Amino acid sequence: MDRDASVETIRREMTTFARRARAVAARIHPELSLVSFTLLAHLEDSDGCRATDLAAHYLLDKSTVSRQITALERLGYVERRTDPADHRVQVLHLTASGTEVLRGVTASRRALMQRRLADWDVADLEQFATYLRRYNATSDPLD
């Protein structure tokens, strides 16, 4: 297989991977889209941030993030708090319920991945992890 064919195969397989991830997210928690799950995980990792920071980090339109955050607030998973350093700024944080649902979804996704990779040997898993880290570390401003 030549380079172009290999890149095309990778593109197709990554598209399949993304479709499967969205479908799994919908089955695990019907009210929590893959984007919502990602935003919750980021809020947990960053211990809160502004909606504009989320939009910039994920290269999303502010209105898209606003709709997602509004839905997460309605579900009781996210709350806005005034930034103590600047009272004009609202910082988004996970609620206790948001933390709980995020942990549950993460555990379900981890268990699913463990099942899908159960017959892979450790060397293959390590190589796959290395390739994914390498791919994700490649930065392109047009992504």
Side-chain angles (χ1 to χ4, degrees), residues 16 23 28 34 38 58 62 68 74 77 79 84 89 98 106 111 115 127 140-141:
T16 300
I28 289 173
L34 185 58
T38 303
Y58 290 105
K62 290 177 188 175
Q68 293 291 329
R74 243 185 274 120
Y77 299 156
E79 65 185 2
V89 175
T106 299
R115 286 192 304 272
Q127 191 64 54
D140 184 339

Side-chain angles (χ1 to χ4, degrees), residues 29 38 41 58 64 74 79 91 95 101 110 122:
H29 196 290
T38 303
Y58 290 105
T64 300
R74 243 185 274 120
E79 65 185 2
V91 179
T95 62
V101 78
R110 185 176 291 118
V122 173

Side-chain angles (χ1 to χ4, degrees), residues 7 32-33 36 38 62 69-70 81 83 86 107-109 142:
V7 169
L32 199 60
S33 71
S36 295
T38 303
K62 290 177 188 175
I69 294 301
T70 298
R81 297 182 200 156
D83 185 341
D86 184 347
S108 295
R109 291 174 61 110
L142 299 178

Side-chain angles (χ1 to χ4, degrees), residues 43-119:
L43 290 175
E44 180 180 56
D45 292 344
S46 65
D47 195 28
C49 68
R50 299 174 305 161
T52 54
D53 297 331
L54 286 171
H57 181 77
Y58 290 105
L59 302 175
L60 294 170
D61 186 79
K62 290 177 188 175
S63 64
T64 300
V65 171
S66 178
R67 280 192 303 277
Q68 293 291 329
I69 294 301
T70 298
L72 292 169
E73 285 178 306
R74 243 185 274 120
L75 290 167
Y77 299 156
V78 171
E79 65 185 2
R80 296 175 191 268
R81 297 182 200 156
T82 303
D83 185 341
D86 184 347
H87 295 290
R88 297 170 297 168
V89 175
Q90 295 285 307
V91 179
L92 302 167
H93 289 275
L94 291 182
T95 62
S97 181
T99 299
E100 182 180 320
V101 78
L102 180 61
R103 287 189 180 138
V105 171
T106 299
S108 295
R109 291 174 61 110
R110 185 176 291 118
L112 177 63
M113 188 154 288
Q114 289 283 2
R115 286 192 304 272
R116 288 188 62 85
L117 299 171
D119 63 343

